[in-house]
Amino acid sequence: LARLESRPRSDLLARAIVLALREEQLPVNNHALRAAGFSVLKAPDIPSVLIELGFLSSPRDLARLRDEEGRARIAAALRAALTAWRDADAARAGLVRQ
């Protein structure tokens, strides 16, 4: 039953992250929202997402991950996404069945 609540929250968190990355004009895969059966994503009581920021085998991705400014932009986007999601999640909390 707990998963019935955390799954939609995880989906909204993932959407907030993709939106924030796009707003920061960071590269985002065309099919950015995907699902996987990883055990770390199956926590029944907390929303969870997996964020893939690039591939170390890609010279362009590796350069962005090594660049201090690039990492700062990624961090700013993630912070903005988490803040927006937290505020929206708190606003919806009263609508969730207990």
Side-chain angles (χ1 to χ4, degrees):
L1 290 175
R3 248 189 225 136
L4 292 175
E5 179 186 336
S6 65
R7 177 63 188 241
R9 292 175 69 209
S10 294
D11 291 344
L12 290 170
L13 175 56
R15 290 178 190 284
I17 291 170
V18 170
L19 178 63
L21 290 171
R22 285 186 173 140
E23 286 177 350
E24 187 62 36
Q25 298 180 349
L26 291 162
V28 177
N29 188 298
N30 290 336
H31 304 287
L33 299 174
R34 300 179 190 180
F38 299 127
S39 59
V40 295
L41 299 176
K42 292 183 179 181
D45 54 342
I46 58 170
S48 54
V49 297
L50 178 65
I51 303 169
E52 187 176 276
L53 298 173
F55 295 99
L56 298 181
S57 59
S58 163
R60 187 173 48 184
D61 290 350
L62 183 58
R64 185 176 46 257
L65 293 171
R66 285 184 171 165
D67 179 58
E68 188 174 336
E69 182 181 327
R71 288 192 312 271
R73 290 179 59 212
I74 292 167
L78 293 175
R79 182 176 39 255
L82 290 169
T83 301
W85 175 82
R86 179 200 61 202
D87 295 344
D89 191 59
R92 284 188 301 275
L95 304 174
V96 176
R97 287 188 294 180
Q98 298 296 324

